[in-house]
Structure formats: structure tokens, C-alpha cells
Amino acid sequence: EAGVTQFPSHSVIEKGQTVTLRCDPISGHDNLYWYRRVMGKEIKFLLHFVKESKQDESGMPNNRFLAERTGGTYSTLKVQPAELEDSGVYFCASSPSGRKETQYFGPGTRLLVL
Amino acid sequence: AQSVTQLDSQVPVFEEAPVELRCNYSSSVSVYLFWYVQYPNQGLQLLLKYLSGSTLVKGINGFEAEFNKSQTSFHLRKPSVHISDTAEYFCAGSSQGGSEKLVFGKGTKLTVNP
């Protein structure tokens, strides 16, 4: 069984540009989560999808961040326009509907905004 | 609100020595507790989890943790570490019900020296 995959693995952009991160969850997992680790800080929750619906987006930092999960499969997280403080590692995780307490993480996307 | 505290940011040990990585949590509701490990240049991997039942939880790679409700702790232990255990370890918790988003500690960098 393939694990959670994320693309790209690294991204370097300039302030003001747009970046889109993609996450493919484990097949059949209805729950999809986005987390972020800013350098020197703890990993923080951003939002949670159940299928294509946003269940909890309380961790989204501001309206420059837009997450979608069309069709309930893969998800994208777009940052527009990117700011310096958006640099960090963005993790995606997924879990099945019957056991959502156990989340499986992807390798992360390392974003650097210059 | 739930919080997770990892008391040590860095722990250096010699190979074959025992190690304990400390984690305390605070919550007024039932919690699930987890330890994740991140090896260099890799994603987060689940080491072990406590959901309910036996308070001593065994995980992969010889690690174990004990849930202590009276002390609100979930310390991670290994009786004899290897060079390959060098990694960053994250304690996390989630509250039962709702999105079950994870709340992470700041991480502990374990360095195993020869």
C-alpha cells in the first residue's frame, strides 16, 4: 500500500509569488490533514478535510492560504502571495474514516520564501 | 485547550545506553497520545500510540512509553539505543471526538554517539 505522498519535496520562491503544494493521501482515507512547522517552532495544525468538506480550518493562519480537496482524493494548499514567514515544512497526513485518531504522515514539502 | 510539553530540546547519549524522552500533556478531556520520529531528511513516522487500555505501550524499534494519568505524562523509553536512533522525536496528543487534530510538542533531538 502506497503511503502519503507530497509534491514538491522542496520549493524556493520569492516573496509575493504563488506556490501550490499537493498531497495524495493513502487510498481510501477520508480524513486529510495539513500541518506546518515553521523553523524553530512546533508542528501546528492547519486544517482537516473529511472527503471534500472542510471539517476544521481553525489553524489556517490567514486568507493567503487556500486549501482544496476536489473529489475527496488529493488536496492542494495554495499560498498567494507568499510571505517570508510562510517558510517552513508543510506536512500532510491522512487517516481512515473508522480510525481517524491514527494519522499517517507524508514526507513534507520544504518551502523557502526569499 | 490541550497542550503537549517536551521538556528536553536535545538529548545526547552514548550508544547502548538507556534513554528517556519526556512528555507531559494537559487536557480536560479524554486524550490519545502519540510519539512520532523524524529521521534526517525524512517525514514523520509513527512510533507508538496510546488510545486506551494498558498504560504500557510498545512500539517499533524497541521503544515503549507509559501513560501516567496522575502525572499527565507519556515518557518514551528505550533500554539500549543505537546510532541509527539519532533523530527528532515528537510527542503529540489529540482529543477524542471532533477533528482529532494533533497537538505537538516542540520535539526532542536525540543524538546517539559512539
Side-chain angles (χ1 to χ4, degrees), chain A residues 30 35 44 62 64 66 68 71 87 94 97 104 110 112:
Chain A
D30 289 340
Y35 293 86
K44 286 195 172 180
N62 52 60
R64 295 186 293 103
L66 176 63
E68 295 181 324
S87 296
S94 71
S97 57
Y104 299 89
R110 284 153 182 78
L112 179 60

Side-chain angles (χ1 to χ4, degrees), chain A residues 31 33 35 37 40-45 48 55-56 58 89 91 99-108 110, chain B residues 32 34 36 38 41-46 49 51 88 90 94 97-107 109:
Chain A
N31 295 285
Y33 301 81
Y35 293 86
R37 190 184 194 192
K41 303 283 188 179
E42 62 269 32
I43 300 169
K44 286 195 172 180
F45 167 82
H48 169 215
Q55 170 89 355
D56 181 353
S58 61
V89 182
F91 292 103
R99 294 181 58 191
K100 64 179 178 178
E101 74 284 344
T102 303
Q103 298 175 27
Y104 299 89
F105 281 76
R110 284 153 182 78
Chain B
Y32 300 135
F34 308 82
Y36 285 86
Q38 185 177 26
N41 301 313
Q42 294 188 30
L44 295 171
Q45 182 180 358
L46 180 66
K49 60 185 177 184
L51 304 180
E88 190 161 19
F90 296 92
S94 66
S99 70
E100 296 188 10
K101 60 190 176 188
L102 292 170
V103 175
F104 284 86
K106 290 188 174 182
K109 289 185 179 177

